[in-house]
Amino acid sequence: MNQPQLPHGPGFRLVDEIGPVEPNLSLRGRTWLNPAWPIFRDHFPGQPLLPAVYFVEMAAQTSGALWASHAAFSPSMPLQLVEIKKFRIRQPAFPGQNLQIVATLGATWPELATFQVQIFRDNDLLAEGEVVMGKGKPAT
């Protein structure tokens, strides 16, 4: 696994490592839920858990890395989450856990692509759904 090439700064990068694009056009990401993240201090003090929106953002970051790698986009090409479809949180995640994010490329158009995403802790499916990514406008 390698460090992901993501447009996010280190404070918002939720995927620690990514693997190579697999033949079925999927990509595996991995992240460790650092107990020191400020969100864990206040998201249910004393019983912290990962907010559901973080699952969605991990899905978007992994999907964006897959699309950028598969399509050989320039690092300056901004990719944005444009739609969340059928996303379901099946089990919570907690500080100190390791998660695996698996994104698989679905349909593509010139400006959009769909991805099926699953997030696991070991063999337990925690979340799954579909996200749509779009090409953004480069900053000027």
Side-chain angles (χ1 to χ4, degrees):
M1 293 226 166
N2 300 311
Q3 289 280 37
Q5 297 297 315
L6 298 172
H8 309 84
F12 198 69
R13 193 170 294 138
L14 300 180
V15 179
D16 298 328
E17 298 178 315
I18 58 168
V21 175
E22 297 175 10
N24 65 343
L25 296 180
S26 68
L27 181 76
R28 293 182 180 274
R30 194 166 47 200
T31 194
W32 175 61
L33 301 181
N34 186 340
W37 284 354
I39 195 70
F40 288 132
R41 185 174 46 249
D42 296 322
H43 196 245
F44 305 117
Q47 298 177 347
L49 64 100
L50 186 71
V53 297
Y54 278 58
F55 284 114
V56 174
E57 183 60 29
M58 288 174 191
Q61 288 184 17
T62 304
S63 297
L66 170 56
W67 196 20
S69 178
H70 172 67
F73 291 141
S74 160
S76 64
M77 170 62 69
L79 302 176
Q80 300 169 337
L81 176 63
V82 297
E83 188 174 357
I84 303 163
K85 299 173 108 178
K86 303 176 195 166
F87 213 91
R88 182 173 178 181
I89 310 303
R90 296 183 173 274
Q91 296 183 48
F94 303 99
Q97 294 181 333
N98 289 298
L99 304 183
Q100 298 81 40
I101 306 104
V102 180
T104 303
L105 182 63
T108 61
W109 297 270
E111 301 295 318
L112 296 171
T114 64
F115 300 85
Q116 296 296 320
V117 182
Q118 296 178 311
I119 301 175
F120 297 91
R121 176 187 55 239
D122 300 319
N123 292 323
D124 294 330
L125 179 63
L126 302 184
E128 63 183 331
E130 182 178 353
V131 295
V132 180
M133 302 294 292
K135 291 181 185 176
K137 303 287 185 225
T140 55

Short mmCIF file of all heavy atoms in Angstrom, two decimals, residues 80-115:
data_model
loop_
_atom_site.label_atom_id
_atom_site.label_comp_id
_atom_site.label_asym_id
_atom_site.label_seq_id
_atom_site.Cartn_x
_atom_site.Cartn_y
_atom_site.Cartn_z
N GLN A 80 -14.90 15.91 -7.08
CA GLN A 80 -15.78 16.25 -5.97
C GLN A 80 -16.89 15.22 -5.83
O GLN A 80 -17.37 14.67 -6.82
CB GLN A 80 -16.43 17.62 -6.22
CG GLN A 80 -15.43 18.73 -6.36
CD GLN A 80 -16.06 20.01 -6.86
OE1 GLN A 80 -17.11 20.00 -7.49
NE2 GLN A 80 -15.42 21.12 -6.58
N LEU A 81 -17.29 15.01 -4.60
CA LEU A 81 -18.46 14.19 -4.32
C LEU A 81 -19.69 14.99 -4.75
O LEU A 81 -19.88 16.12 -4.30
CB LEU A 81 -18.53 13.87 -2.82
CG LEU A 81 -19.75 13.11 -2.34
CD1 LEU A 81 -19.81 11.72 -2.96
CD2 LEU A 81 -19.72 13.01 -0.82
N VAL A 82 -20.50 14.42 -5.65
CA VAL A 82 -21.68 15.15 -6.12
C VAL A 82 -22.99 14.49 -5.74
O VAL A 82 -24.04 15.13 -5.78
CB VAL A 82 -21.64 15.42 -7.65
CG1 VAL A 82 -20.46 16.30 -8.01
CG2 VAL A 82 -21.61 14.13 -8.45
N GLU A 83 -22.95 13.20 -5.35
CA GLU A 83 -24.18 12.54 -4.94
C GLU A 83 -23.85 11.33 -4.07
O GLU A 83 -22.87 10.62 -4.31
CB GLU A 83 -24.99 12.09 -6.16
CG GLU A 83 -26.36 11.58 -5.82
CD GLU A 83 -27.21 11.27 -7.05
OE1 GLU A 83 -26.77 11.50 -8.19
OE2 GLU A 83 -28.33 10.78 -6.85
N ILE A 84 -24.68 11.11 -3.07
CA ILE A 84 -24.60 9.94 -2.20
C ILE A 84 -25.87 9.14 -2.46
O ILE A 84 -26.97 9.66 -2.32
CB ILE A 84 -24.53 10.36 -0.72
CG1 ILE A 84 -23.35 11.30 -0.48
CG2 ILE A 84 -24.46 9.14 0.18
CD1 ILE A 84 -23.46 12.07 0.81
N LYS A 85 -25.70 7.88 -2.85
CA LYS A 85 -26.86 7.05 -3.18
C LYS A 85 -26.86 5.80 -2.31
O LYS A 85 -25.83 5.14 -2.17
CB LYS A 85 -26.80 6.62 -4.65
CG LYS A 85 -26.84 7.78 -5.62
CD LYS A 85 -26.61 7.28 -7.02
CE LYS A 85 -27.90 7.35 -7.78
NZ LYS A 85 -27.73 6.93 -9.17
N LYS A 86 -28.00 5.48 -1.74
CA LYS A 86 -28.18 4.21 -1.05
C LYS A 86 -27.05 3.89 -0.08
O LYS A 86 -26.53 2.78 -0.07
CB LYS A 86 -28.31 3.08 -2.06
CG LYS A 86 -29.43 3.25 -3.05
CD LYS A 86 -29.41 2.12 -4.05
CE LYS A 86 -30.27 2.45 -5.24
NZ LYS A 86 -30.02 1.56 -6.35
N PHE A 87 -26.62 4.85 0.70
CA PHE A 87 -25.52 4.60 1.63
C PHE A 87 -26.10 4.14 2.96
O PHE A 87 -26.99 4.78 3.50
CB PHE A 87 -24.67 5.87 1.82
CG PHE A 87 -23.23 5.56 2.06
CD1 PHE A 87 -22.34 5.46 0.99
CD2 PHE A 87 -22.75 5.33 3.33
CE1 PHE A 87 -21.01 5.15 1.19
CE2 PHE A 87 -21.42 5.01 3.54
CZ PHE A 87 -20.55 4.92 2.48
N ARG A 88 -25.58 3.05 3.45
CA ARG A 88 -26.12 2.47 4.67
C ARG A 88 -24.99 2.18 5.67
O ARG A 88 -24.00 1.56 5.31
CB ARG A 88 -26.84 1.17 4.33
CG ARG A 88 -27.48 0.53 5.52
CD ARG A 88 -28.32 -0.64 5.08
NE ARG A 88 -28.89 -1.27 6.27
CZ ARG A 88 -29.65 -2.31 6.25
NH1 ARG A 88 -29.97 -2.87 5.11
NH2 ARG A 88 -30.11 -2.82 7.36
N ILE A 89 -25.20 2.62 6.90
CA ILE A 89 -24.27 2.31 7.99
C ILE A 89 -24.83 1.09 8.71
O ILE A 89 -25.92 1.14 9.28
CB ILE A 89 -24.13 3.50 8.98
CG1 ILE A 89 -23.84 4.81 8.25
CG2 ILE A 89 -23.08 3.18 10.04
CD1 ILE A 89 -22.64 4.82 7.37
N ARG A 90 -24.10 -0.01 8.68
CA ARG A 90 -24.58 -1.26 9.27
C ARG A 90 -24.10 -1.45 10.70
O ARG A 90 -24.79 -2.06 11.50
CB ARG A 90 -24.14 -2.44 8.41
CG ARG A 90 -24.76 -2.41 7.03
CD ARG A 90 -24.35 -3.64 6.24
NE ARG A 90 -25.06 -3.72 4.98
CZ ARG A 90 -26.26 -4.26 4.83
NH1 ARG A 90 -26.89 -4.75 5.86
NH2 ARG A 90 -26.84 -4.30 3.65
N GLN A 91 -22.89 -0.98 10.99
CA GLN A 91 -22.31 -1.12 12.32
C GLN A 91 -21.45 0.11 12.59
O GLN A 91 -20.89 0.69 11.67
CB GLN A 91 -21.43 -2.36 12.42
CG GLN A 91 -22.13 -3.67 12.23
CD GLN A 91 -21.16 -4.83 12.43
OE1 GLN A 91 -20.41 -4.87 13.39
NE2 GLN A 91 -21.18 -5.77 11.48
N PRO A 92 -21.28 0.49 13.86
CA PRO A 92 -20.44 1.64 14.18
C PRO A 92 -18.95 1.28 14.12
O PRO A 92 -18.57 0.11 14.13
CB PRO A 92 -20.85 1.98 15.62
CG PRO A 92 -21.33 0.69 16.19
CD PRO A 92 -21.95 -0.06 15.04
N ALA A 93 -18.14 2.31 14.07
CA ALA A 93 -16.68 2.17 14.16
C ALA A 93 -16.22 3.04 15.32
O ALA A 93 -16.82 4.08 15.61
CB ALA A 93 -16.02 2.62 12.86
N PHE A 94 -15.13 2.61 15.96
CA PHE A 94 -14.68 3.25 17.19
C PHE A 94 -13.20 3.63 17.10
O PHE A 94 -12.45 3.06 16.30
CB PHE A 94 -14.90 2.29 18.37
CG PHE A 94 -16.33 1.85 18.51
CD1 PHE A 94 -16.75 0.62 18.03
CD2 PHE A 94 -17.27 2.68 19.11
CE1 PHE A 94 -18.06 0.21 18.14
CE2 PHE A 94 -18.60 2.28 19.23
CZ PHE A 94 -19.00 1.05 18.75
N PRO A 95 -12.77 4.57 17.95
CA PRO A 95 -11.36 4.96 17.95
C PRO A 95 -10.44 3.75 18.12
O PRO A 95 -10.77 2.80 18.83
CB PRO A 95 -11.25 5.88 19.17
CG PRO A 95 -12.63 6.32 19.48
CD PRO A 95 -13.54 5.24 18.99
N GLY A 96 -9.31 3.80 17.42
CA GLY A 96 -8.30 2.76 17.52
C GLY A 96 -8.50 1.60 16.56
O GLY A 96 -7.65 0.72 16.47
N GLN A 97 -9.58 1.60 15.80
CA GLN A 97 -9.83 0.50 14.87
C GLN A 97 -9.21 0.79 13.51
O GLN A 97 -9.04 1.94 13.11
CB GLN A 97 -11.34 0.26 14.71
CG GLN A 97 -11.98 -0.24 15.98
CD GLN A 97 -13.46 -0.51 15.84
OE1 GLN A 97 -14.15 0.09 15.02
NE2 GLN A 97 -13.97 -1.42 16.67
N ASN A 98 -8.89 -0.28 12.80
CA ASN A 98 -8.41 -0.20 11.42
C ASN A 98 -9.57 -0.53 10.50
O ASN A 98 -10.28 -1.52 10.71
CB ASN A 98 -7.28 -1.21 11.18
CG ASN A 98 -6.02 -0.80 11.88
OD1 ASN A 98 -5.46 0.25 11.59
ND2 ASN A 98 -5.57 -1.62 12.82
N LEU A 99 -9.76 0.30 9.47
CA LEU A 99 -10.83 0.08 8.50
C LEU A 99 -10.23 -0.10 7.11
O LEU A 99 -9.19 0.47 6.79
CB LEU A 99 -11.79 1.27 8.48
CG LEU A 99 -12.44 1.68 9.79
CD1 LEU A 99 -13.42 2.82 9.56
CD2 LEU A 99 -13.12 0.51 10.47
N GLN A 100 -10.91 -0.91 6.31
CA GLN A 100 -10.56 -1.09 4.91
C GLN A 100 -11.72 -0.55 4.08
O GLN A 100 -12.88 -0.87 4.36
CB GLN A 100 -10.34 -2.57 4.57
CG GLN A 100 -9.20 -3.23 5.35
CD GLN A 100 -9.61 -3.66 6.74
OE1 GLN A 100 -10.70 -4.16 6.95
NE2 GLN A 100 -8.74 -3.45 7.71
N ILE A 101 -11.37 0.24 3.08
CA ILE A 101 -12.36 0.84 2.19
C ILE A 101 -12.14 0.24 0.81
O ILE A 101 -11.01 0.27 0.29
CB ILE A 101 -12.22 2.37 2.12
CG1 ILE A 101 -12.25 2.99 3.52
CG2 ILE A 101 -13.30 2.99 1.24
CD1 ILE A 101 -10.91 3.42 4.02
N VAL A 102 -13.18 -0.32 0.21
CA VAL A 102 -13.06 -0.92 -1.12
C VAL A 102 -14.01 -0.17 -2.05
O VAL A 102 -15.23 -0.18 -1.85
CB VAL A 102 -13.42 -2.42 -1.11
CG1 VAL A 102 -13.28 -3.01 -2.51
CG2 VAL A 102 -12.56 -3.18 -0.11
N ALA A 103 -13.44 0.50 -3.04
CA ALA A 103 -14.22 1.23 -4.03
C ALA A 103 -14.09 0.52 -5.37
O ALA A 103 -12.98 0.13 -5.76
CB ALA A 103 -13.73 2.67 -4.15
N THR A 104 -15.21 0.35 -6.06
CA THR A 104 -15.22 -0.29 -7.37
C THR A 104 -15.90 0.65 -8.36
O THR A 104 -16.99 1.16 -8.10
CB THR A 104 -15.98 -1.64 -7.32
OG1 THR A 104 -15.36 -2.47 -6.34
CG2 THR A 104 -15.95 -2.33 -8.67
N LEU A 105 -15.22 0.89 -9.46
CA LEU A 105 -15.74 1.79 -10.49
C LEU A 105 -16.96 1.19 -11.16
O LEU A 105 -16.97 0.01 -11.54
CB LEU A 105 -14.65 2.06 -11.53
CG LEU A 105 -14.98 3.02 -12.67
CD1 LEU A 105 -15.27 4.42 -12.13
CD2 LEU A 105 -13.82 3.07 -13.66
N GLY A 106 -18.00 1.99 -11.27
CA GLY A 106 -19.23 1.58 -11.96
C GLY A 106 -19.27 2.24 -13.33
O GLY A 106 -18.37 2.08 -14.14
N ALA A 107 -20.29 3.05 -13.56
CA ALA A 107 -20.46 3.74 -14.83
C ALA A 107 -19.60 5.00 -14.88
O ALA A 107 -19.33 5.62 -13.85
CB ALA A 107 -21.93 4.10 -15.02
N THR A 108 -19.18 5.36 -16.08
CA THR A 108 -18.42 6.60 -16.28
C THR A 108 -19.00 7.39 -17.44
O THR A 108 -19.52 6.82 -18.40
CB THR A 108 -16.92 6.34 -16.56
OG1 THR A 108 -16.80 5.57 -17.75
CG2 THR A 108 -16.25 5.64 -15.40
N TRP A 109 -18.93 8.69 -17.33
CA TRP A 109 -19.29 9.65 -18.36
C TRP A 109 -18.15 10.66 -18.42
O TRP A 109 -17.26 10.63 -17.57
CB TRP A 109 -20.61 10.34 -18.01
CG TRP A 109 -21.78 9.40 -17.93
CD1 TRP A 109 -22.62 9.03 -18.94
CD2 TRP A 109 -22.24 8.70 -16.77
NE1 TRP A 109 -23.57 8.15 -18.49
CE2 TRP A 109 -23.36 7.93 -17.15
CE3 TRP A 109 -21.82 8.64 -15.44
CZ2 TRP A 109 -24.06 7.12 -16.28
CZ3 TRP A 109 -22.51 7.83 -14.56
CH2 TRP A 109 -23.62 7.09 -14.98
N PRO A 110 -18.15 11.58 -19.36
CA PRO A 110 -17.03 12.52 -19.43
C PRO A 110 -16.79 13.33 -18.14
O PRO A 110 -15.65 13.59 -17.79
CB PRO A 110 -17.41 13.45 -20.59
CG PRO A 110 -18.26 12.58 -21.47
CD PRO A 110 -19.05 11.71 -20.52
N GLU A 111 -17.86 13.67 -17.43
CA GLU A 111 -17.70 14.52 -16.25
C GLU A 111 -18.06 13.84 -14.93
O GLU A 111 -17.91 14.44 -13.88
CB GLU A 111 -18.55 15.80 -16.40
CG GLU A 111 -18.20 16.64 -17.61
CD GLU A 111 -16.79 17.22 -17.55
OE1 GLU A 111 -16.38 17.69 -16.48
OE2 GLU A 111 -16.10 17.19 -18.60
N LEU A 112 -18.58 12.61 -14.99
CA LEU A 112 -19.06 11.92 -13.78
C LEU A 112 -18.64 10.45 -13.78
O LEU A 112 -18.41 9.87 -14.85
CB LEU A 112 -20.60 11.95 -13.71
CG LEU A 112 -21.29 13.29 -13.57
CD1 LEU A 112 -22.80 13.11 -13.75
CD2 LEU A 112 -20.99 13.90 -12.22
N ALA A 113 -18.60 9.86 -12.59
CA ALA A 113 -18.38 8.43 -12.45
C ALA A 113 -19.08 7.95 -11.19
O ALA A 113 -19.18 8.69 -10.20
CB ALA A 113 -16.90 8.10 -12.39
N THR A 114 -19.59 6.72 -11.23
CA THR A 114 -20.23 6.12 -10.06
C THR A 114 -19.31 5.06 -9.47
O THR A 114 -18.53 4.42 -10.20
CB THR A 114 -21.59 5.48 -10.39
OG1 THR A 114 -21.38 4.39 -11.28
CG2 THR A 114 -22.54 6.49 -10.99
N PHE A 115 -19.44 4.86 -8.17
CA PHE A 115 -18.60 3.90 -7.45
C PHE A 115 -19.44 3.17 -6.41
O PHE A 115 -20.22 3.79 -5.69
CB PHE A 115 -17.45 4.62 -6.73
CG PHE A 115 -16.56 5.37 -7.66
CD1 PHE A 115 -16.88 6.66 -8.06
CD2 PHE A 115 -15.42 4.78 -8.17
CE1 PHE A 115 -16.07 7.35 -8.94
CE2 PHE A 115 -14.60 5.46 -9.05
CZ PHE A 115 -14.93 6.75 -9.44
#
